[in-house]
Amino acid sequence: MIFMKTIKFILITIGVVFFTLIFQSCLDNDSATWIYAGSDGLVTVKLTDENSFYLQLDDSTTLLPVNMTTPPFGKKQMRALVNFDVVDKPSGKYTKAVNVNWIDSILTKSIAPDLGINNDSVYGKDPVDILKSWMTVSEDGYLTLCFSTIYGNSGKGHYVNLLMNSNPSNPYEVEFRHNAYGDVSGLERDGIVAFNLDSLPDTNGKTVKLKLKWKSFTGDKYTEFDYCTRKSDSNKSNIFQR
C-alpha cells in the first residue's frame, strides 16, 4: 500500500523496533506521528495544482513521483517520511523521477501563539531529549525534530509545540514545549514533529543561526541550526551543542 495513513502496530525491521507516541495538534487535530523503520527520506509534499504534486527532499533536490496520480494528503502541504526507488524515467524540471513505495505524513504545525503567563499551563514544561538524528533538521523552511520522552501507553495525548522566544536581541530563537498531561511514567519512546517557520522574520537570503531551546531530563539545553527563509540550499544542519 502506497499511502499508509493509519497504522496501529509497532513496525519491526532488521531487528530495530520503533515505538509510537501519540501527540495532539491544536491546529489540525492530527492525533499521531509514527516513526518507521525503512524510510529513505524526510520530504515536504508540495502541490503544483489540485491534481499534481512533487516531493522536496532537501533544499536542492526535488523528486517527481511517477507512480502516484493524486496528492496523498489532499490540499495540505505536509512533511512526510517516504520510502522510494529512483527510476529511469523523465523527471522534467525535477531532480529525479521516483516510484514511491510508501509515504506517511508527520505532524506538521505552525509556531504556536505566545500566551504569556499561560504558556506553562497550556504548552507544558515536561522534559524531552532532542535526538541526534538525520530526522532532526532545519530545511525547506521547516524545523523537523526527532525527540524522545516518557510515555506510559495510557492512551493520553501528548501536546508538542514550538514557541517564539521573548529574547528581543534574537528573533531567531525558538523554544520546544511538551505537555504530557501527567503521563510521565513508563517507557522512553520516540516521536517526530515538524514546524513551519514562515512566521519568523525573513532572513532576506542570508543564512542565520536558528537557536532551539528545550527542557531535557538533565536540565535546560539548546542547539543551533543554519536557517534561511526558503531561499538557500545551505540551511541544513545537524550540529548539536550540549
Side-chain angles (χ1 to χ4, degrees):
M1 178 182 294
I2 292 175
F3 179 39
M4 303 194 301
K5 181 62 179 177
T6 55
I7 294 184
K8 301 291 186 179
F9 55 87
I10 297 171
L11 291 176
I12 304 176
T13 300
I14 318 178
V16 180
V17 180
F18 286 81
F19 293 98
T20 62
L21 178 59
I22 297 175
F23 304 105
Q24 294 177 338
S25 166
C26 62
L27 300 180
D28 54 17
N29 258 346
D30 283 347
S31 60
T33 291
W34 314 93
I35 296 181
Y36 296 108
S39 59
D40 289 323
L42 182 63
V43 299
T44 308
V45 180
K46 295 185 173 180
L47 306 182
T48 56
D49 55 47
E50 289 187 356
N51 299 309
S52 182
F53 73 102
Y54 68 98
L55 305 177
Q56 187 82 39
L57 180 62
D58 54 39
D59 293 316
S60 59
T61 305
T62 53
L63 307 177
L64 177 66
V66 294
N67 65 327
M68 298 180 67
T69 58
T70 57
F73 312 123
K75 297 180 180 181
K76 293 182 180 181
Q77 182 174 122
M78 302 285 290
R79 294 287 277 170
L81 290 168
V82 64
N83 179 281
F84 64 89
D85 295 313
V86 177
V87 295
D88 186 17
K89 292 184 178 181
S91 60
K93 63 182 179 180
Y94 304 105
T95 308
K96 300 175 183 179
V98 298
N99 279 337
V100 173
N101 300 316
W102 61 256
I103 184 169
D104 197 47
S105 65
I106 67 174
L107 181 59
T108 305
K109 307 182 69 173
S110 297
I111 293 177
D114 186 354
L115 302 180
I117 61 173
N118 294 318
N119 280 341
D120 287 354
S121 60
V122 173
Y123 300 125
K125 49 184 180 180
D126 294 307
V128 299
D129 284 323
I130 304 296
L131 301 180
K132 294 180 180 179
S133 165
W134 62 270
M135 292 181 287
T136 295
V137 64
S138 170
E139 62 183 1
D140 192 38
Y142 289 89
L143 180 63
T144 305
L145 301 175
C146 186
F147 64 95
S148 178
T149 192
I150 300 299
Y151 179 58
N153 200 27
S154 63
K156 293 182 179 180
H158 287 215
Y159 193 38
V160 290
N161 285 281
L162 192 70
L163 303 185
M164 288 255 220
N165 198 277
S166 57
N167 183 356
S169 65
N170 185 5
Y172 303 104
E173 186 172 301
V174 292
E175 183 179 6
F176 184 67
R177 290 292 193 107
H178 168 225
N179 192 337
Y181 294 113
D183 184 29
V184 294
S185 62
L187 297 175
E188 188 173 319
R189 301 187 178 185
D190 298 345
I192 184 171
V193 60
F195 297 101
N196 190 322
L197 302 177
D198 281 353
S199 58
L200 292 180
D202 197 322
T203 65
N204 296 310
K206 297 180 180 179
T207 297
V208 302
K209 291 298 182 181
L210 176 68
K211 184 176 181 178
L212 172 69
K213 300 169 63 177
W214 73 95
K215 180 181 179 181
S216 79
F217 288 93
T218 57
D220 294 336
K221 293 189 178 181
Y222 78 93
T223 189
E224 291 182 330
F225 301 84
D226 289 336
Y227 170 67
C228 182
T229 308
R230 293 187 189 274
K231 295 177 183 178
S232 172
D233 60 2
S234 62
N235 63 337
K236 183 173 181 179
S237 175
N238 283 318
I239 300 173
F240 277 73
Q241 296 181 11
R242 291 290 180 176

